[in-house]
Amino acid sequence: MALIVQKYGGTSMGSPERIRNVARRVAKFRDAGHQVVVVVSAMSGETNRLIALAKEIQAHPDPRELDVVISTGEQVTIGLLCMALKDAGVDAKSYTGGQARILTDNTFNKARILNIESDNLRRDLDSGKVVVVAGFQGVDAAGNFTTLGRGGSDTTGVALAAALSADECQIYTDVDGVYTTDPRIVSEARKLDVITFEEMLEMASQGSKVLQIRSVEFAGKYKVKLRVLSSFQDEGEGTLITVEEGKQMEEPIISGIAFNRDEAKLTVQGVPDRPGIAYQILGPVADANIDVDMIIQNVGHDGTTDFSFTVNRSEFEKTKAVLESVRQHIGAREIVGDNKVCKVSAVGVGMRSHPGVASQMFRVLAEEGINIRMISTSEIKIAVVLDEKYLELAVRVLHRAFGLDQG
Ligand code: ASP
Ligand code: MG
């Protein structure tokens, strides 16, 4: 007997018929003698609908009240799935995030899980029940509803698997695993059988939307065995996300090409070149809760320098406003921005032992006449910022150049 956490995304929960389908799958695992905890998302489109509704009332919704509204989507699906399970003869009980004692900090809309008091869940599991927990939500110490950021149900699933020391956390979605790149852009993309936590983390933070970044961090930290599978197929092992030793010896140098369209680049020009300037620029940006990605500071000329970084495109205007007050404060010349950029990254642990991957990547892009705007690297990743119009081309040529095409 194993303890399995299964997370079903919005598409898998998208209609009564699909919810019954999920119930059948859960029942199968239960009948095989396993204990099952199910984590669900809201029905597809529902969270977007709730956010839009909130914005119709208030252009910038109050963060606490927004969480009250958008956490309702998952409250609907836990109840519906339990009904479907009971109809299929499976004893089940629903839990909201608060009822499951998923305790978070009080950063509304982006809360972090601090602790899960799982005694009640365990008691129900031991009495033979399937436990169905609302993804994406928790409560803070004062009992306020909180949510974990878009896509946060993945993190709920992994966190519960860690708290319950589950044997496996299965993320059911509308694709059958993690691919070398998005098959909608490159039809030759292949499903990976295995990927390391580190690679998955880079893929997720470089734009691959299969798993929420935080869930991968969590899984790596607590060594949760994580698997991505399709909820629409009965066969298939999906993709196992694991520690590096689990990978085969003959691994490819590059495991995948990730990309993100939603990038924006900002530059503070004519910054006085003196100690503390990076902090003076990025401190207020961090205080405004804006995530910064690539950062470049140029060589100084005549006592000034240029300072560039990227943010998510949705935070472009907000960042510009923050920088404008910084500019006045530090006496910089000008803020320039470009929100028509994208990021393309090659990811692979094999890079560690193979020099020259970066230059190969730059050569391939040069041959296509693609101008690189920014570069950043880590041990297992090379990322470039490009003009948005080059995204598809860059992904396609890199996928081919690194030998990832099928067949
Ligand atoms: N329903 C939430 C969202 O759409 C959480 C999730 O699906 O993981 O972002
Ligand atoms: Mg998701």
Side-chain angles (χ1 to χ4, degrees), residues 7 9-10 40-43 47-48 70 74 135-136 149-154:
K7 180 259 168 177
V40 293
S41 291
M43 295 171 89
T47 309
N48 287 345
I70 64 179
E74 275 76 7
F136 182 52
R150 298 307 305 273
S153 302
D154 294 341

Side-chain angles (χ1 to χ4, degrees), residues 100-303:
R101 306 296 299 143
I102 297 175
L103 306 175
T104 72
D105 63 17
N106 61 0
T107 321
F108 296 111
N109 316 158
K110 266 190 189 177
R112 284 185 174 269
I113 297 177
L114 303 174
N115 188 23
I116 300 180
E117 293 166 1
S118 56
D119 299 355
N120 288 339
L121 302 187
R122 210 178 278 280
R123 213 167 300 127
D124 278 339
L125 289 169
D126 289 341
S127 74
K129 286 191 178 61
V130 166
V131 170
V132 180
V133 181
F136 182 52
Q137 56 175 269
V139 284
D140 72 3
N144 295 304
F145 291 102
T146 56
T147 64
L148 309 178
R150 298 307 305 273
S153 302
D154 294 341
T155 300
T156 307
V158 174
L160 276 170
L164 294 162
S165 308
D167 295 283
E168 188 164 304
C169 179
Q170 303 174 339
I171 308 277
Y172 286 91
T173 177
D174 49 358
V175 292
D176 60 348
V178 179
Y179 275 70
T180 50
T181 196
D182 188 336
R184 281 168 301 190
I185 293 203
V186 183
S187 57
E188 291 85 4
R190 281 180 295 115
K191 181 178 81 69
L192 297 162
D193 294 332
V194 182
I195 185 168
T196 71
F197 283 117
E198 281 178 290
E199 287 171 326
M200 193 61 223
L201 195 57
E202 288 285 11
M203 293 285 275
S205 52
Q206 299 306 313
S208 158
K209 301 272 186 313
V210 181
L211 286 175
Q212 199 205 28
I213 299 171
R214 216 175 267 175
S215 72
V216 186
E217 271 168 15
F218 228 101
K221 188 158 156 200
Y222 294 99
K223 303 271 176 293
V224 173
K225 192 171 166 201
L226 189 59
R227 196 183 286 281
V228 176
L229 305 135
S230 163
S231 61
F232 301 112
Q233 292 177 3
D234 282 327
E235 307 285 306
E237 298 282 290
T239 299
L240 178 67
I241 300 153
T242 181
V243 289
E244 202 162 333
E245 295 85 79
K247 281 196 80 174
Q248 275 149 25
M249 300 294 288
E250 277 299 304
E251 66 191 36
I253 298 170
I254 298 297
S255 300
I257 308 293
F259 59 87
N260 193 357
R261 295 177 195 279
D262 309 321
E263 298 279 325
K265 174 176 183 258
L266 291 124
T267 302
V268 190
Q269 292 182 334
V271 180
D273 195 3
R274 55 169 193 254
I277 216 72
Y279 173 64
Q280 279 182 303
I281 294 173
L282 292 180
V285 175
D287 290 344
N289 240 319
I290 298 167
D291 286 326
V292 169
D293 184 20
M294 279 190 210
I295 303 170
I296 289 181
Q297 185 183 331
N298 278 331
V299 185
H301 283 291
D302 314 322

